Amino acid sequence: MDTQTQDPSAAPAATRRGFLQAGGALVIGFVLPASGRAAVKAAAADAVPISAYLRIAPDNRITVVCGASEMGQGVLTAIPMLLAEELDADWSLVGVEQAPADKAYANPMFGMQATGGSATVRGNWTPMREAGAAARAMLVAAAAERWKVDAAQLRTERSFVLGPGGRKASYGSLAAAAARQGAPAKPALKQARDFKLLGQPLHRLDTPSKVDGSARFGIDAQVRGLWVAVMARAPAHGAKPLKMDEAAARAVKGVRQVLTIPSGVAVLADGFWAAKKGRDALQVQWDLGPAAQLSSAAVSTMLDEAAGNADAVARDEGNVRDAAANASATVQARYEVPYLAHACMEPMNCTAWVRGDEVEIWAGTQSQGPAQGILGAVAQVAPARVQVHTLMLGGGFGRRFAPDFTVDATLLSKLSGKPVKLIYTREDDMAAGYYRPASVVRFEAATDAQGRPTVLRAGVGSPSIMAASGFLKIPASGVDSMAVEGLADHPYDIPNQRIAYGRAEPGPQVWFWRSVGHSQNAFFIESFIDELAAAAHQDPFEYRRALLGKSPRHKAVLERAAAEAGWGRPLPAGRARGIAVAESFGSYVAEVAEVSVDADGTPRVHRVVAAVDCGQTVNPAIVQRQIESAIVFGLSAALYGRISYAEGRVEQGNFNTYPVLRMNAAPKVEVHVMASTEPPGGIGEPGTPPLAPAVLNAIYAATGRRLRKLPVDTAALRKA
């Protein structure tokens, strides 16, 4: 069955009670508290958070309702696979539907319905399997009752219950009776050796709809009578419109209304083109206020000071001062990364309709649960009166966790009294904030006579994502864990360490970006470890390997990546290899990049080899594709990614000034997924952190020039 989404032109979506269908369909609400214990209810109306839902129709078709958002990472396949495995379902009969916004579909790791942090499989690994196992037990009980036999005599296979004497009953024929059975509170789960679906590269359930064009993304939403809105967004936080030509905008054919809201000025029209022409005609002049002084140079200075004065201690081990005094040598370095945009292919958009005390939106959002509360406050209605239809996301990377585009659309609908589809242009979104934080780190290491590090000091200067989020609080220690993740918990065996955080807020809004703090901190620590290896005149792979005695999973992926990449074997003239390893979101990834540098300083990444230990896998084909995607994403950032400021304004606007990797520059990528019995780790993000350091370490190996700032400065690599 293809993925189904709500038809925005239809009546409002049915309630959860409406999931109950006639004709003997089985609808089971599995109540899955965060503890993982399952209490199963026989009707969706009785379900309480946290829950997942299963429907079995008389024709034996199975529908799994997925509470997570699909943004290409494969949750509309992974979630059904988890349930179908324990259900002993026929995969060819399994379909999936997107869940409505309801706290019943909260991710157990978050306690809210949201998608991010590579947490969907991690959060649902046990609950969804328990849901399938409980349903299977109920179907078996129904068959035992029908045949008057002991349930222990029955078994299941491919959506059938099989009994003595060749008896056989389809799940569909048993569904109505099964719905009346008591459900086990803690059903037995399969051992991994008995899996038939999990660990297999099964076809994705959302592929057919994407191929035939029937998949519905946020921008596809249509509501009768809607107006389309395009905004002149405030170019900086707190900026206010000083002057605009509203008459010129209204003179554009099709323009219906011009509205000023806190985030900018919106033109509402019959269609996108009219709205955009009207927006352009406004010619808004802005008062940037204090932000007018913002520049990238000022940002660097502020972050540098914060790194130098970092005093919120994230890791403090041994005796740094005394150990440093007895060192044979010291190595110091400063690294820096810029703000980064998410640059999703599908521009930010939301269709909203505020009708009296009810709000209905259609959007590709990562945060349905928070949206209900936020939009309820915007429209001044109860959160329960906010319906969120989650459509597919044309890229998320954390950007669609932000509330701005849903808030603006809801506010415009409330003010205009019309259903409104808001679309941010690429330029507006690029300048809208919600960036990966710029960050600076200052390192100092002391080494012994063998070149091994005995002391590591690091000070990080960065804005706080926790503070910017609105729902995370910085602890009393003052450490934003996201600013130091991947650095404060690095795996290397160094006896004396002090790693501290210094908060600096230059002004731009910061937000979650694919792999969050790991994205910059893996670059920092893996580049610096490479520097230590170079200072010790040791092979960077062997140097790391010797420091990973207490981190066997890091060591295993490092060794696998090196072996598969042919580490130590000769390369064509002008090419070199670099290596890096990182853990994030419970998964371990090592990558080897094979790089050359042209005479004009342009790096060419020819090959990337990745080894991945993400614990037990649901679908290894999806794991491979996510690592490939993360490598391309990370390479775009390493080679080109930069949001810069001059006189208070962002200098980038579209892909001509914010490039992404093109096909002709894409490397050959090899992904090796390692067998593991560990619990599942995340997979949407962990492929990104090791990429930048692997590439820049390879550049150093090829040229002898150490780059400590991203993106790659080709001028610094240019041959004289």
Side-chain angles (χ1 to χ4, degrees):
M1 176 183 285
D2 293 350
T3 300
Q4 301 293 315
T5 55
Q6 293 284 347
D7 179 0
S9 65
T15 63
R16 289 169 56 223
R17 183 181 295 275
F19 279 135
L20 291 171
Q21 295 184 353
L26 170 62
V27 182
I28 309 172
F30 296 96
V31 182
L32 307 169
S35 66
R37 298 180 63 187
V40 181
K41 300 294 182 181
D46 296 329
V48 296
I50 305 168
S51 70
Y53 295 92
L54 166 70
R55 300 206 310 267
I56 303 177
D59 66 359
N60 223 22
R61 290 190 175 273
I62 292 166
T63 300
V64 178
V65 182
C66 176
S69 304
E70 178 61 70
M71 46 191 160
Q73 84 281 36
V75 296
L76 289 182
T77 301
I79 292 298
M81 283 182 69
L82 289 168
L83 191 147
E85 175 64 70
E86 299 289 348
L87 185 61
D88 271 348
D90 181 344
W91 183 249
S92 68
L93 298 176
V94 175
V96 61
E97 289 184 2
Q98 186 72 60
D102 193 297
K103 61 184 180 180
Y105 298 100
N107 185 313
M109 290 185 68
F110 297 153
M112 61 182 175
Q113 187 181 1
T115 307
S118 296
T120 299
V121 167
R122 289 189 293 158
N124 287 285
W125 173 258
T126 297
M128 287 301 296
R129 290 173 59 210
E130 287 182 339
R136 176 185 171 276
M138 296 166 74
L139 289 158
V140 168
E145 184 178 85
R146 175 182 294 181
W147 294 332
K148 309 300 182 188
V149 299
D150 186 345
Q153 297 180 267
L154 308 182
R155 62 187 179 89
T156 56
E157 183 178 330
R158 292 178 61 85
S159 296
F160 282 87
V161 179
L162 308 178
R167 289 174 174 170
K168 184 176 183 179
S170 71
Y171 286 178
S173 69
L174 294 166
R180 297 190 291 269
Q181 299 293 322
K186 193 70 173 178
L189 300 178
K190 293 181 181 180
Q191 297 296 312
R193 63 177 177 269
D194 298 321
F195 289 163
K196 296 181 177 67
L197 300 179
L198 296 182
Q200 299 301 312
L202 303 183
H203 67 267
R204 286 180 58 148
L205 298 181
D206 56 340
T207 297
S209 65
K210 290 177 177 177
V211 171
D212 66 23
S214 61
R216 304 298 295 276
F217 290 80
I219 206 165
D220 295 323
Q222 293 294 329
V223 175
R224 294 184 185 93
L226 70 75
W227 288 351
V228 175
V230 175
M231 289 186 63
R233 286 185 58 89
H237 180 69
K240 300 182 183 305
L242 271 179
K243 183 180 179 182
M244 69 180 111
D245 194 343
E246 187 171 330
R250 291 180 178 276
V252 174
K253 184 178 180 181
V255 169
R256 298 287 186 170
Q257 202 167 3
V258 177
L259 294 171
T260 298
I261 59 176
S263 58
V265 184
V267 175
L268 286 65
D270 293 332
F272 174 80
W273 189 240
K276 182 182 182 302
K277 289 178 67 178
R279 190 282 307 272
D280 293 345
L282 283 172
Q283 296 293 309
V284 182
Q285 296 179 26
W286 296 94
D287 176 6
L288 299 182
Q293 306 304 314
L294 183 65
S295 68
S296 289
V299 170
S300 292
T301 298
M302 187 179 296
L303 298 180
D304 200 54
E305 291 175 355
N309 297 315
D311 58 1
V313 179
R315 184 171 183 173
D316 193 3
E317 297 175 359
N319 189 323
V320 169
R321 179 179 298 178
D322 290 351
N326 297 318
S328 296
T330 60
V331 179
Q332 295 181 338
R334 175 191 181 278
Y335 285 83
E336 182 176 2
V337 295
Y339 292 107
L340 290 177
H342 301 76
C344 305
M345 288 293 108
E346 179 193 12
M348 297 300 107
N349 65 85
C350 175
T351 298
W353 197 354
V354 180
R355 302 188 300 276
D357 67 347
E358 183 176 81
V359 177
E360 194 168 7
I361 72 163
W362 296 263
T365 175
Q366 295 178 240
S367 55
Q368 302 91 333
Q372 287 189 297
I374 293 169
L375 301 185
V378 169
Q380 297 179 320
V381 305
R385 301 292 291 171
V386 178
Q387 291 190 64
V388 181
H389 304 291
T390 305
L391 305 185
M392 288 190 183
L393 288 64
F397 317 124
R399 176 66 179 92
R400 285 186 160 91
F401 203 104
D404 58 323
F405 57 102
T406 58
V407 167
D408 287 351
T410 300
L411 190 54
L412 291 172
S413 177
K414 183 174 178 64
L415 293 174
S416 67
K418 300 284 291 185
V420 172
K421 177 191 285 189
L422 172 64
I423 301 175
Y424 290 173
T425 66
R426 176 71 58 199
E427 291 78 6
D428 281 332
D429 186 44
M430 196 70 73
Y434 297 96
Y435 303 127
R436 197 280 302 273
S439 186
V440 166
V441 65
R442 288 187 169 276
F443 283 120
E444 181 179 358
T447 59
D448 61 19
Q450 288 73 45
R452 289 177 59 97
T454 57
V455 174
L456 177 67
R457 288 193 184 101
V460 176
S462 178
S464 170
I465 289 179
M466 294 181 73
S469 73
F471 61 89
L472 298 172
K473 292 184 178 180
I474 300 176
S477 67
V479 177
D480 182 325
S481 60
M482 294 181 182
V484 297
E485 61 185 358
L487 176 57
D489 55 349
H490 72 78
Y492 297 107
D493 186 8
I494 303 173
N496 305 285
Q497 302 188 54
R498 185 184 187 276
I499 298 172
Y501 168 63
R503 182 180 173 188
E505 299 291 348
Q509 167 78 44
V510 295
W511 200 248
F512 311 95
W513 190 86
R514 192 174 191 171
S515 76
V516 201
H518 296 279
S519 67
Q520 71 264 19
N521 290 327
F523 166 63
F524 294 157
I525 188 65
E526 285 299 293
S527 296
F528 191 59
I529 291 292
D530 225 65
E531 288 207 50
L532 296 180
H537 305 289
Q538 296 181 26
D539 177 88
F541 160 62
E542 295 293 352
Y543 190 85
R544 284 176 171 79
R545 189 169 176 269
L547 295 175
L548 291 173
K550 297 179 180 179
S551 303
R553 295 179 76 183
H554 284 89
K555 186 177 180 181
V557 292
L558 184 80
E559 292 173 337
R560 179 68 179 274
E564 297 290 350
W567 189 269
R569 293 205 297 264
L571 284 168
R575 294 192 188 184
R577 297 185 183 98
I579 195 167
V581 62
E583 179 276 329
S584 59
F585 308 98
S587 291
Y588 300 74
V589 181
E591 292 170 4
V592 175
E594 187 177 310
V595 178
S596 66
V597 179
D598 294 346
D600 66 356
T602 301
R604 305 285 178 183
V605 183
H606 303 277
R607 181 186 182 211
V608 177
V609 177
V612 184
D613 173 6
C614 57
Q616 297 181 72
T617 63
V618 174
N619 188 315
I622 292 177
V623 172
Q624 178 179 338
R625 292 165 192 153
Q626 281 300 290
I627 295 295
E628 291 170 346
S629 163
I631 285 171
V632 170
F633 192 83
L635 189 52
S636 290
L639 297 181
Y640 317 118
R642 183 173 187 247
I643 290 292
S644 58
Y645 281 85
E647 297 180 346
R649 292 178 180 268
V650 172
E651 295 183 298
Q652 291 71 31
N654 212 314
F655 291 121
N656 61 325
T657 50
Y658 193 87
V660 295
L661 195 72
R662 302 299 178 94
M663 290 180 67
N664 64 347
K668 178 183 179 182
V669 177
E670 301 171 23
V671 180
H672 302 274
V673 181
M674 299 176 64
S676 177
T677 58
E678 296 289 340
I683 204 58
E685 300 172 272
T688 293
L691 191 280
V695 169
L696 270 72
N697 291 340
I699 289 174
Y700 172 77
T703 66
R705 300 178 187 181
R706 180 72 65 182
L707 301 183
R708 300 186 180 93
K709 189 174 181 178
L710 294 179
V712 168
D713 181 359
T714 56
L717 299 175
R718 193 171 299 137
K719 294 180 181 178

